[in-house]
Amino acid sequence: MAARHRTRWATGGAALALALAAALTGCSGYDSPSDTASKAESAVGSIASGASEAVESATAEAQRRLDDIQDGIDVKGDVKAAPPTVGSDGRARSEVTVDNTDDAARSFAVQVNFTDAGNQLIDTVIVTVSNVQAGHSATATARGTHDVSGEVGAEVARAVRY
């Protein structure tokens, strides 16, 4: 039941347009679902920290990238994000659990949003959990890339099984 996972974080910033343009380079209609999920992580991960408008743009890009996963099925109800903690390094962490309710091994791309006490989006991440066996669960840890303070929330914004 061991699962490999990769985590990429992003929030918007001054270099948003450049980062998004670079992230879109090289995308084709011939990508496998795994390649598309990996590119989604990379695209979201390449956007630097910054203003709330840029965070919203990064979120929209993450959503678009998840839409690009061929043969993906929306399984948000099969994924849960644990209440986040803030480590000694000041970074938010949330354990994400995926339940594979399919009859074959599947992988998951999960968008997790972190919010502040006012429920404002402060970070977004796409976590990939690969090769979860049929009928099993697996976990991955979503980790922030910048310091946070105060109350932080985590929610599964979207999950795609492929």
Side-chain angles (χ1 to χ4, degrees), residues 110-161:
V110 180
Q111 180 184 354
V112 177
N113 288 344
F114 281 89
T115 56
D116 63 15
N119 207 29
Q120 296 296 307
L121 181 65
I122 57 175
D123 214 343
T124 192
V125 61
I126 293 178
V127 177
T128 302
V129 185
S130 300
N131 300 316
V132 181
Q133 295 302 307
H136 287 89
S137 298
T139 61
T141 302
R143 291 180 178 89
T145 59
H146 63 279
D147 292 345
V148 295
S149 60
E151 189 176 320
V152 178
E155 67 178 2
V156 174
R158 184 145 178 230
V160 177
R161 183 182 69 209

Side-chain angles (χ1 to χ4, degrees), residues 60-75:
E61 177 64 10
Q63 290 286 331
R64 190 185 73 69
R65 292 298 184 144
L66 290 174
D67 286 341
D68 286 346
I69 296 175
Q70 295 178 1
D71 300 322
I73 297 174
D74 180 10
V75 291

Side-chain angles (χ1 to χ4, degrees), residues 13-32:
L16 177 65
L18 180 60
L20 288 176
L24 295 174
T25 303
C27 294
S28 73
Y30 301 106
D31 293 336
S32 71

Side-chain angles (χ1 to χ4, degrees), residues 3 28 38 40 45 49 53 73 80 101 103 105 121 125 140 159:
S28 73
S38 180
S49 295
E53 300 86 31
I73 297 174
K80 296 185 179 23
T101 59
D103 58 0
L121 181 65
V125 61

